[in-house]
């Protein structure tokens, strides 16, 4: 249990620091939205890397099974969504906003850059935390850092399709629930991401977040940078674009014509006879 307690303390520290940073940044510089994206991406990467540590070596070093792994994943995603409302830490969500013409090209570019920097910062902080070797689990993880286990466990084409399908499903649900209450939206999306991690464990882990995947697996041996980019960057972006097209029937940034849904009213307004027709 000491390993789990240490992980919980790490989760609490990462979330607390991120929450304080977001509040201070929003209060002092409310226009610096890209930096809040950096903080959100950092929190996501920092917590998910520890979840992956529990998944990889938790059973060997601390008797922490898959039930603990997926419970911690669900809780971390839920808390992150509650604290980081208004920011995503996800380049695919930012690109979706660009395609919907909700944000401009410059803001989108700065946000995406910040998200990747946040993911990289999360990887650096997690690495320093593992180097402290506070438990047997973290000592083993520190020894494995140069030979980490890749999350891409499927052929390239199959992995790309798996990420695209996962992303399309997730972002379609995301769009459907976009204007719903947070009490409904947050647990459903967190549960869906946890399910993807479980169901896609033998394929790509269903990350559907390019900057998070960059922090989790791009430094692991077994595949080239280009192969990782094809699966974890192109796959989610294609899936997200398909989800947006299925939801709206068009891509506002590219074309306005609705190709899927008719704009005709569901109910016809009854015609009112004019005075000449009444007298005749």
């Amino acid at each position: 249990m000491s390993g789990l307690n240490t992980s919980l303390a790490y989760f609490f520290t990462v979330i607390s620091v991120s929450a304080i940073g977001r509040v201070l940044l929003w209060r002092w510089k409310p226009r610096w939205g890209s930096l809040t994206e950096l903080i959100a991406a950092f929190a996501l990467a920092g917590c998910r890397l520890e979840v992956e540590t529990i998944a990889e070596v938790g059973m060997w070093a601390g008797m922490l099974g898959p039930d603990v792994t997926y419970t911690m994943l669900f809780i971390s995603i839920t808390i992150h969504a509650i604290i980081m409302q208004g920011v995503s830490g996800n380049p695919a969500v930012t690109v979706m906003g660009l395609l919907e013409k909700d944000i401009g090209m410059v803001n989108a570019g700065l946000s995406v850059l910040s998200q990747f920097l946040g993911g990289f910062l999360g990887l650096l902080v997690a690495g320093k935390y593992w180097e402290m070797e506070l438990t047997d689990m973290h000592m083993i993880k520190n020894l494995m850092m140069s030979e980490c286990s890749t999350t891409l466990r499927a052929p390239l084409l199959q992995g790309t399709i798996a990420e695209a399908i996962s992303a399309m499903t997730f972002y379609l649900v995301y769009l459907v629930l976009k204007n719903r209450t947070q009490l409904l939206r947050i647990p459903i999306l967190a549960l869906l991401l946890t399910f993807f991690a479980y169901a896609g464990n033998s394929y790509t882990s269903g990350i559907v977040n390019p900057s998070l995947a960059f922090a989790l697996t791009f430094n692991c041996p077994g595949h080239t940078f280009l192969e990782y980019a094809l699966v974890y960057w192109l796959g989610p972006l294609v899936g997200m674009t398909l989800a947006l097209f299925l939801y709206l029937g068009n891509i506002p940034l590219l074309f306005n014509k609705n190709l899927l849904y008719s704009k005709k009213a569901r109910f016809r307004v009854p015609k009112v006879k004019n005075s000449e027709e009444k007298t005749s």
Side-chain angles (χ1 to χ4, degrees), residues 209-225:
N209 182 334
S211 62
L212 180 59
F214 175 74
L216 287 179
T217 199
F218 272 50
N219 63 318
C220 296
H223 299 277
T224 66
F225 183 91

Side-chain angles (χ1 to χ4, degrees), residues 183-238:
L183 291 175
L184 176 68
R185 183 167 171 262
I186 289 176
I188 289 178
L189 293 178
L191 186 62
L192 191 58
L193 288 174
T194 304
F195 172 75
F196 286 155
Y198 170 76
N201 185 56
S202 301
Y203 298 92
T204 63
S205 292
I207 300 174
V208 303
N209 182 334
S211 62
L212 180 59
F214 175 74
L216 287 179
T217 199
F218 272 50
N219 63 318
C220 296
H223 299 277
T224 66
F225 183 91
L226 184 60
E227 289 173 337
Y228 279 131
L230 180 64
V231 174
Y232 290 108
W233 291 359
L234 182 62
L237 290 177
V238 169

Side-chain angles (χ1 to χ4, degrees), residues 103-170:
I103 58 175
M105 185 72 72
V106 175
N107 288 336
L110 290 174
S111 294
V112 169
L113 178 61
S114 298
Q115 287 156 351
F116 278 101
L117 288 175
F120 182 69
L121 180 61
L123 177 61
L124 291 180
V125 170
K128 294 297 181 181
Y129 163 66
W130 295 330
E131 287 178 1
M132 297 171 65
E133 299 185 354
L134 298 177
T135 66
D136 293 341
M137 179 174 68
H138 297 102
M139 180 185 67
I140 296 173
K141 180 63 178 179
N142 186 44
L143 295 174
M144 294 171 56
M145 278 190 66
S146 59
E147 296 293 334
C148 58
S149 301
T150 178
T151 57
L152 180 54
R153 303 182 180 94
L156 199 61
L157 179 60
Q158 188 176 0
T160 305
I161 293 174
E163 275 294 302
I165 293 175
S166 298
M168 183 183 68
T169 305
F170 173 76

Side-chain angles (χ1 to χ4, degrees), residues 258-271:
N258 197 311
L259 302 180
L260 295 182
Y261 310 115
S262 172
K263 293 184 178 180
K264 293 181 180 180
R266 290 183 178 180
F267 305 101
R268 293 183 178 180
V269 179
K271 293 182 179 180

Side-chain angles (χ1 to χ4, degrees), residues 4-252:
L4 180 59
N5 292 334
T6 304
S7 294
L8 289 173
Y10 170 79
F11 285 133
F12 178 78
T13 302
V14 170
I15 291 296
S16 299
V17 170
S18 301
I20 293 171
R22 185 186 188 280
V23 170
L24 293 177
L25 189 62
W26 184 256
R27 178 173 297 179
W28 293 342
K29 298 289 184 181
R31 295 183 179 179
W32 289 10
S34 59
L35 290 183
T36 58
E37 289 290 351
L38 184 150
I39 294 173
F42 160 75
L44 269 179
C47 291
R48 184 65 180 267
L49 284 163
E50 183 66 2
V51 170
E52 292 298 316
T53 300
I54 297 174
E56 288 179 4
V57 297
M59 181 60 75
W60 302 345
M63 298 301 291
L64 303 177
D67 55 336
V68 176
T69 300
Y70 295 116
T71 300
M72 294 302 299
L73 178 59
F74 175 79
I75 292 174
S76 63
I77 293 172
T78 302
I79 295 176
H80 181 275
I82 294 172
I83 294 176
M84 298 293 169
Q85 293 186 36
V87 289
S88 64
N90 186 341
V93 174
T94 300
V95 174
M96 180 188 292
L98 177 63
L99 294 178
E100 291 181 289
K101 300 192 343 185
D102 289 337
I103 58 175
M105 185 72 72
V106 175
N107 288 336
L110 290 174
S111 294
V112 169
L113 178 61
S114 298
Q115 287 156 351
F116 278 101
L117 288 175
F120 182 69
L121 180 61
L123 177 61
L124 291 180
V125 170
K128 294 297 181 181
Y129 163 66
W130 295 330
E131 287 178 1
M132 297 171 65
E133 299 185 354
L134 298 177
T135 66
D136 293 341
M137 179 174 68
H138 297 102
M139 180 185 67
I140 296 173
K141 180 63 178 179
N142 186 44
L143 295 174
M144 294 171 56
M145 278 190 66
S146 59
E147 296 293 334
C148 58
S149 301
T150 178
T151 57
L152 180 54
R153 303 182 180 94
L156 199 61
L157 179 60
Q158 188 176 0
T160 305
I161 293 174
E163 275 294 302
I165 293 175
S166 298
M168 183 183 68
T169 305
F170 173 76
Y171 292 113
L172 192 56
V173 175
Y174 174 89
L175 288 167
V176 170
L177 299 177
K178 191 173 184 179
N179 297 319
R180 298 299 182 94
T181 175
Q182 298 287 350
L183 291 175
L184 176 68
R185 183 167 171 262
I186 289 176
I188 289 178
L189 293 178
L191 186 62
L192 191 58
L193 288 174
T194 304
F195 172 75
F196 286 155
Y198 170 76
N201 185 56
S202 301
Y203 298 92
T204 63
S205 292
I207 300 174
V208 303
N209 182 334
S211 62
L212 180 59
F214 175 74
L216 287 179
T217 199
F218 272 50
N219 63 318
C220 296
H223 299 277
T224 66
F225 183 91
L226 184 60
E227 289 173 337
Y228 279 131
L230 180 64
V231 174
Y232 290 108
W233 291 359
L234 182 62
L237 290 177
V238 169
M240 176 274 297
T241 305
L242 288 174
L244 184 63
F245 178 69
L246 289 173
Y247 182 73
L248 296 178
N250 66 339
I251 306 295

